[in-house]
Amino acid sequence: MRIVLLGAPGSGKGTQSQSLVKAYGVPQISTGDLLREAVAAGTALGLRAKSAMDAGKLVDDETVLGMIRERLSQADTANGFILDGFPRNIAQADALQTVLREIGKPLEAVVLLNLDLGILFKRLTGRRICQECGQVFNIYTSPPDSAQHRAANGHEPRLIQRPDDREDVIGKRLEVYDAQTKPLIQYYKDAGLLRVVDADASMDAVFASIQRAVA
Ligand code: AMP
């Protein structure tokens, strides 16, 4: 399986990637996660990326492409990968095509998680992450059950909000998606790779649609 999950921030790319990892045994490659790790570790790359991330803008292509090339060269991608949050613009999509052609592993499908703007906004403003274990919740639609969380994980849910999930930054991220990432829908339609999935459904229903789309 060699796929891209395409969709606006909050469309469920990360959540669905995790289900795909379990079902197909191929790694999720999330440029957002890789960048957040670099920021947390205080590396030079992380320091370079932080201000763009905090402002809801894209990190420069050179930084992101360097990271992706390095990640795609690792052995665990031999049987495929799920790209989550990459590519984010046409230049990145062109570069990805070149890299994958070089290694003889072209994309099989690009799955668009399609969701209304109003729903995206609610998902993003409500998103919280347990600081201890990384589990994702939504204070409106899927708040944590303390007792259940304690039983399963051995700690209380300790919820934090991603700095770029604040309301003022979300507007910017959605604007950036519209201007820079949305053109990829036509790009991959023209390439015959696009599959559209309705992401306004339960996690399991969306997962089933993705499975049908890539079958
Ligand atoms: P995400 O977790 O995918 O929403 O990404 C969080 C932030 O990381 C984005 O708002 C960007 O600042 C940065 N980022 C993630 N992926 C990319 C990418 N492919 N190109 C540029 N910036 C990215």
Side-chain angles (χ1 to χ4, degrees), residues 192-204:
L193 289 170
L194 191 76
R195 316 275 184 272
V196 182
V197 160
D198 176 11
D200 186 13
S202 72
M203 227 169 78
D204 291 346

Side-chain angles (χ1 to χ4, degrees), residues 138-215:
N138 188 295
I139 53 172
Y140 305 121
T141 54
S142 53
D145 175 324
S146 279
Q148 205 179 58
H149 194 81
R150 202 171 41 243
N153 304 289
H155 58 257
E156 291 290 327
R158 298 223 305 143
L159 301 189
I160 52 164
Q161 187 175 34
R162 262 172 56 172
D164 57 351
D165 277 347
R166 288 196 334 260
E167 253 183 77
D168 50 331
V169 186
I170 288 171
K172 180 71 197 168
R173 289 167 68 204
L174 293 174
E175 217 176 86
V176 167
Y177 173 78
D178 243 29
Q180 305 203 42
T181 311
K182 233 178 179 175
L184 291 179
I185 297 175
Q186 191 61 45
Y187 178 100
Y188 284 122
K189 199 185 265 179
D190 292 344
L193 289 170
L194 191 76
R195 316 275 184 272
V196 182
V197 160
D198 176 11
D200 186 13
S202 72
M203 227 169 78
D204 291 346
V206 175
F207 184 60
S209 303
I210 296 176
Q211 285 190 299
R212 279 195 300 278
V214 299

Side-chain angles (χ1 to χ4, degrees), residues 31-32 35-36 53 57 59 64 85-86 88 92 162 173:
T31 40
L35 286 165
R36 276 184 289 278
M53 293 175 77
K57 297 181 185 161
V59 173
V64 174
F86 177 91
R88 275 298 226 271
Q92 292 183 6
R162 262 172 56 172
R173 289 167 68 204

